[in-house]
Amino acid sequence: MEISSVKVLFQIGPVMITNTMLYTWIIMAIILIACVLLARKLTLVPESKSQVVAEMLVGTMRNFVSSSMSPEKVGFAPYFAALISFIALSNLSGFLFLGFVRPPTADWATTLGLALITFFMIEGFGIKSNGIKNWLKGFVDPTPVILPINIIGEFATPVSLSFRLFGNILGGMIITTLVYQLYVNNVAVVCWTLAAGLILTALIYTKKTSALKKMSKGTKKIVIFVAVILMFPALAASGVHFYFDLFAGLLQAFIFTMLSMIFVNNAM
Amino acid sequence: MTIFNTIMNWLLQIDPEAIVYMGSAIGAGIALIAGIGPGIGQGYAAGKGAEAVGKRPDIQGEVMKTMLLGAAVAETTGIYGLVVALILMFVHPFGV
């Protein structure tokens, strides 16, 4: 299996629709449907479970925003909640949708778009809260000689934000594909996994598990060792998914959102 | 320099497309030397985090969050090197 790449699916006039855009629309639809389902029949005192969950999510996000930025900037919470949920869901989409979806954040276009939104927020809110003169003075601060360095430093912010997310998710996707190439067309691994499944099923159905409690410690260690060796293909694949998709995906979503918040806060 | 001549003659006889691939592969390998940076930096951050937890074990959760935040930001330059290597290996920007 080759590493999946960005493909153009069809064209509407001058606009090309890539598979990344299609998966982005699917993720947007999922988040939208989840929000609509959570926000039905709201009462002043929560009566349904969905309202408790919704209030918990909104409250967590507002606390996060007001502690990372200052308490009066809690109005940014809806945007950053949308940002972190979109990035988290699209980082996890590589394995959550059973391998049918190529993560949209594994395309530099998506991450650059999100980072450019942050960039324009930084400049826009900086100008709005400090005025244009102070914003322009900030570039020649402390000496006018470092004006080009300051300009490059401003542009480095969206570039580094986008590349951090893109590189992590694309690298994880490539490594996962390479690990799966060990399993494809490989008779030995298929027999290994089948043997592990059959032995475990036999153990469960003949209720030999009660015999495990009567064994001595040495025999138990040997049994556990043999079980790990039998489960090794499944453990290897799930270990790769856990580190690259779950851990790195969620961490990078959190990092992107938190860095955006810190940059916007510093500019205002 | 007859060694130089022999090497140049050998290089000129190979298909230029293969030389482009050779250069891209060597460049990709050299680009990932950038992996040393995050290794040292994140290890240092983890050490400082462990020291902070040792001084006050009751704030382990927040120390861990701060440490992970710092480590993920320090990873950026290593990711730059990875992206360059991936582009060289899979996009073949030079030549064919």
Side-chain angles (χ1 to χ4, degrees), chain A residues 3 160 163-164 167-168 170 174 255 258, chain B residues 69 72-73 76 79-80 82-83 86 90:
Chain A
I3 298 168
S160 83
F163 263 119
R164 186 179 300 115
N168 268 301
L170 183 72
I174 288 182
I255 295 277
M258 163 146 270
Chain B
L69 181 67
V73 175
T76 315
I79 301 286
Y80 290 165
L82 174 70
V83 169
L86 288 176
F90 293 112

Side-chain angles (χ1 to χ4, degrees), chain A residues 217-232:
Chain A
K217 228 183 172 184
T219 327
K220 247 192 220 175
K221 281 190 186 168
I222 295 178
V223 168
I224 293 177
F225 181 64
V226 169
V228 169
I229 289 189
L230 280 177
M231 298 286 293
F232 187 72

Side-chain angles (χ1 to χ4, degrees), chain A residues 96-171:
Chain A
L96 214 56
F97 299 119
L98 303 174
F100 287 110
V101 167
R102 183 186 191 274
T105 38
D107 183 5
W108 191 43
T110 314
T111 57
L112 184 63
L114 295 171
L116 282 177
I117 297 179
T118 302
F119 175 65
F120 288 123
M121 270 175 79
I122 293 172
E123 309 302 332
F125 281 106
I127 295 179
K128 183 174 156 182
S129 60
N130 294 336
I132 286 197
K133 264 189 177 241
N134 284 333
W135 179 68
L136 287 174
K137 263 195 217 164
F139 281 107
V140 294
D141 186 32
T143 64
V145 184
I146 63 169
L147 172 67
I149 300 180
N150 269 342
I151 294 183
I152 295 180
E154 281 296 317
F155 280 114
T157 305
V159 169
S160 83
L161 266 181
S162 63
F163 263 119
R164 186 179 300 115
L165 181 57
F166 167 62
N168 268 301
I169 306 302
L170 183 72

Side-chain angles (χ1 to χ4, degrees), chain A residues 22-123:
Chain A
L22 181 68
Y23 299 140
T24 306
W25 292 334
I26 293 177
I27 291 173
M28 283 163 61
I30 291 177
I31 296 181
L32 192 64
I33 292 174
C35 286
V36 165
L37 286 178
L38 276 177
R40 285 197 297 187
K41 285 196 208 168
L42 296 178
T43 55
L44 194 55
V45 178
E47 283 169 15
S48 55
K49 268 189 281 193
S50 61
Q51 184 169 353
V52 173
V53 169
E55 289 189 2
M56 200 176 69
L57 289 172
V58 173
T60 310
M61 205 57 220
R62 287 174 68 108
N63 284 339
F64 184 38
V65 172
S66 66
S67 66
S68 304
M69 310 165 91
S70 50
E72 73 264 9
K73 294 183 188 143
V74 80
F76 282 111
Y79 167 65
F80 286 117
L83 187 66
I84 195 171
S85 52
F86 174 72
I87 297 180
L89 191 55
S90 87
N91 290 350
L92 296 176
S93 67
F95 86 104
L96 214 56
F97 299 119
L98 303 174
F100 287 110
V101 167
R102 183 186 191 274
T105 38
D107 183 5
W108 191 43
T110 314
T111 57
L112 184 63
L114 295 171
L116 282 177
I117 297 179
T118 302
F119 175 65
F120 288 123
M121 270 175 79
I122 293 172
E123 309 302 332

